[in-house]
Amino acid sequence: MSANLRLTRPLTLSLTLTGPPMRYSVFSLLAQTLKGHKGWQPTWRDAVPKPEYDVLVIGGGGHGLATAYYLASRHGIRNVAVIEKGFIGSGNVGRNTTIIRSNYLLPGNTPFYELSMKLWEGLEQDLNYNAMVSQRGVLNLYHSDAQRDAYARRGNAMRLAGVDAELLDREQVRAMVPFLDYENGRFPIQGGLLQKRGGSARHDAVAWGYAHAGDRNGVDIVQNCEVTAISMENGRAVGVETTRGPIRAKKVALAVAGNSSRVAAMAGLRLPIESHVLQAFVSEGVKPLIDTVVTYGAGHFYVSQSDKGGLVFGGDIDGYNSYAQRGNLPVIEDVMESAMALWPGVGRIRMLRHWGGIMDMSMDGSPIIDHTPVAGLYLNAGWCYGGFKATPASGFCFAHLIARDEPHPVAAAYRLDRFATGRVIDEKGVGAQPNLH
Amino acid sequence: MRITCPYCGARDAQEFGYLGDANPQRPDGMDATEAAMHDYVHLRDNPAGRHRELWYHGAGCHAWLVVTRDTRTHAIEAVEVARKTKAGAAA
């Protein structure tokens, strides 16, 4: 080994692109196959920040990248940057359990999540990127007469809003997923509410796809660029100070769920949000076991299987304020107990890993897409633990708000002032207690 | 995470229920403005770092506690009985 090997200058990766990143197709794949896959270019440019932009999106997660893409592709605003403190996709877009669905009850929510589902359905063609969207169905189990009635009501509300929903009895559920514990002494499975169009997507590829498509539309993606202050002139947000220098912008948009309170505080705002940690889990890879998404009705637990073979589990948030991106053991125990109660056979499989992400838990369990009291500053926040499925519609509606200065019709209820006016959207009906949503 | 209850000693966090930030003070009944009540019910500082928060020892002595904890590391700095501390005052 050579002990005196030193770099004489910082190691930097410089990439010279002759044009925008390539378009992916079966022909580009064939051409690259013949060339030994040596001609692939980066999926997006790692941009250096310009001094000024028309719109500056803070947060290079799914929602921020989607916002920038829709600003450029739908509203013709191409002088846009997304700035991210780490690398894109390092936050919650890569930490969730990848479920997509639109099975919401309340009028403020249903049309929004249905728009998101429709955008998911055309996402890969729109972005020219394989996000592995899989409409394998989402099945919510019920275990009592009262819960069946509640799910029937939810299903009817969904169908009235044009969303697909089917109420299944026990035998219909058994035909789909025969291996569950139907005769469980305490919580026997009585049936389920099925949304066939629901399913899952590959979460990293959603971030990469929006980055790819945004970049092709001229969006600058600036990584390792943390905001340290929001620049104000005459009460108006005019840009940001960052670890890579100041950047001016005509409009500044926050898409930093998990850290919304911290960034909004830079503009003097206090939000109706607490940050909480949510854990997720994946087992060792196994052969195909479950070809849909099942949620347990007698506890907070759900399971699906990734294309790599791992069973993906989710459950409750830990329940206390946290920015730690890691949780504690009681929730792990609770999730595994629910897994064993629903599906005893899963006990033969080993848990591989678990991780945590930081959620913006809002005071009514619903998100915020709105202007702020600060002119030029727009807010996309409060996604609780349901932000992934919302990614396309969140970006679509936030871009609409930023470009036109009026809310998109399906996101018009997601106002910041709804807490003061009493127009809260509380799906669970638990009140202003974020750790219960 | 373990919380050292002043009455029961170090106990697993599972024994406790969480309410939230200990600093907001409920405005005085009928005199409060809507804005003040909104502020109390909905708005939070939500700091990354030192946080004074209310926990209830439901599986133990049933005492309400004010726990000072770092939200970045979960390290607990102090635990006081809520009745004996004036919530909202500096710890």
Side-chain angles (χ1 to χ4, degrees):
Chain A
M1 289 294 290
S2 163
N4 59 358
L5 179 67
R6 288 205 188 97
L7 292 172
T8 52
R9 62 191 174 89
L11 185 65
T12 56
L13 186 65
S14 65
L15 300 164
T16 310
L17 294 184
T18 50
M22 62 198 342
R23 206 178 148 71
Y24 299 122
S25 69
V26 66
F27 303 108
S28 72
L29 182 61
L30 282 173
Q32 287 300 328
T33 304
L34 295 172
K35 283 189 267 183
H37 295 287
K38 288 179 180 160
W40 292 111
Q41 295 173 351
T43 297
W44 66 87
R45 291 167 298 126
D46 192 16
V48 173
K50 289 191 285 189
E52 181 160 10
Y53 291 94
D54 290 340
V55 178
L56 185 68
V57 180
I58 305 174
H63 292 217
L65 292 164
T67 302
Y69 166 67
Y70 290 120
L71 277 168
S73 68
R74 303 296 199 276
H75 300 281
I77 302 174
R78 290 164 188 267
N79 187 23
V80 176
V82 179
I83 59 172
E84 162 58 42
K85 71 176 175 191
F87 57 92
I88 66 163
S90 56
N92 293 335
V93 71
R95 291 169 183 269
N96 56 73
T97 47
T98 78
I99 309 300
I100 60 175
R101 57 184 174 87
S102 57
N103 53 358
Y104 281 73
L105 173 69
L106 297 180
N109 277 331
T110 320
F112 173 83
Y113 286 100
E114 180 55 14
L115 171 65
S116 209
M117 184 54 73
K118 287 188 172 129
L119 289 168
W120 282 117
E121 286 171 331
L123 188 75
E124 291 156 322
Q125 290 70 32
D126 192 17
L127 300 184
N128 178 231
Y129 204 88
N130 182 8
M132 294 164 73
V133 174
S134 163
Q135 293 182 289
R136 59 184 67 184
V138 172
L139 177 62
N140 302 138
L141 300 177
Y142 59 80
H143 307 264
S144 67
D145 292 353
Q147 200 169 25
R148 178 199 59 214
D149 293 349
Y151 278 162
R153 180 183 174 218
R154 175 182 296 262
N156 284 332
M158 289 162 64
R159 292 175 74 135
L160 285 170
V163 184
D164 67 307
E166 291 170 51
L167 195 67
L168 307 185
D169 64 21
R170 180 194 302 224
E171 293 316 308
Q172 289 171 298
V173 171
R174 200 194 295 270
M176 282 181 69
V177 276
F179 41 78
L180 303 181
D181 184 7
Y182 289 84
E183 313 305 329
N184 185 292
R186 192 170 176 197
F187 300 115
I189 295 165
Q190 289 197 5
L193 180 67
L194 174 66
Q195 185 184 17
K196 278 188 177 166
R197 289 164 61 241
S200 65
R202 185 181 176 200
H203 54 196
D204 300 310
V206 174
W208 299 335
Y210 275 115
H212 169 72
D215 186 282
R216 281 177 59 87
N217 281 275
V219 172
D220 275 1
I221 295 162
V222 183
Q223 303 180 101
N224 300 309
C225 181
E226 182 167 1
V227 171
T228 54
I230 293 175
S231 311
M232 310 276 283
E233 283 175 15
N234 304 319
R236 185 182 175 86
V238 294
V240 294
E241 299 286 333
T242 77
T243 50
R244 295 178 71 174
I247 307 172
R248 288 184 68 87
K250 296 186 178 73
K251 295 179 175 179
V252 178
L254 266 54
V256 292
N259 288 288
S260 296
S261 298
R262 295 176 62 207
V263 183
M266 295 175 188
L269 300 174
R270 283 178 90 218
L271 299 181
I273 286 171
E274 288 180 2
S275 295
H276 284 251
V277 59
L278 174 68
Q279 302 186 64
F281 312 85
V282 65
S283 77
E284 61 186 332
V286 289
K287 286 185 175 180
L289 271 180
I290 180 167
D291 61 0
T292 185
V293 181
V294 173
T295 76
Y296 186 40
H300 195 161
F301 169 78
Y302 55 95
V303 57
S304 64
Q305 189 167 16
S306 79
D307 289 356
K308 271 197 298 192
L311 297 180
V312 183
F313 302 141
D316 266 327
I317 56 174
D318 272 37
Y320 45 82
N321 286 50
S322 174
Y323 285 91
Q325 290 190 324
R326 65 173 190 273
N328 274 297
L329 294 170
V331 163
I332 300 175
E333 189 176 15
D334 184 59
V335 168
M336 298 313 147
E337 283 173 353
S338 296
M340 289 301 292
L342 176 67
W343 183 0
V346 86
R348 301 290 294 276
I349 297 170
R350 285 171 297 189
M351 193 51 54
L352 186 63
R353 57 193 173 92
H354 74 108
W355 60 92
I358 302 306
M359 312 290 114
D360 265 13
M361 296 303 297
S362 71
M363 286 288 170
D364 64 355
S366 294
I368 298 159
I369 301 176
D370 202 358
H371 297 96
T372 69
V374 176
L377 187 66
Y378 300 76
L379 180 65
N380 177 317
W383 290 98
C384 298
Y385 44 79
F388 178 68
K389 73 180 86 70
T391 304
S394 169
F396 196 88
C397 294
F398 199 32
H400 183 104
L401 175 79
I402 296 162
R404 303 192 187 187
D405 270 318
E406 61 186 37
H408 188 282
V410 303
Y414 295 152
R415 296 176 59 112
L416 177 57
D417 70 0
R418 70 175 184 267
F419 301 92
T421 59
R423 292 179 176 82
V424 292
I425 310 164
D426 191 342
E427 284 270 339
K428 280 180 87 175
V430 296
Q433 188 61 35
N435 63 344
L436 299 183
H437 283 291
Chain B
M1 194 160 77
R2 292 207 292 178
I3 296 172
T4 304
C5 172
Y7 298 121
C8 311
R11 297 296 186 94
D12 193 288
Q14 217 169 352
E15 293 189 6
F16 300 81
Y18 182 76
L19 186 66
D21 193 336
N23 287 331
Q25 293 291 292
R26 189 181 177 88
D28 184 28
M30 303 303 286
D31 293 339
T33 62
E34 282 184 18
M37 198 53 94
H38 162 61
D39 191 294
Y40 166 73
V41 174
H42 295 120
L43 301 186
R44 297 290 180 268
D45 289 335
N46 192 22
R50 202 165 188 255
H51 192 231
R52 298 182 73 240
E53 55 199 23
L54 288 162
W55 291 77
Y56 175 64
H57 198 180
C61 61
H62 291 200
W64 278 98
L65 307 173
V66 176
V67 176
T68 306
R69 191 178 57 94
D70 191 320
T71 60
R72 293 167 303 188
T73 62
H74 301 160
I76 292 171
E77 179 187 318
V79 183
E80 305 152 276
V81 178
R83 188 161 44 83
K84 292 182 182 170
T85 177
K86 183 171 159 48

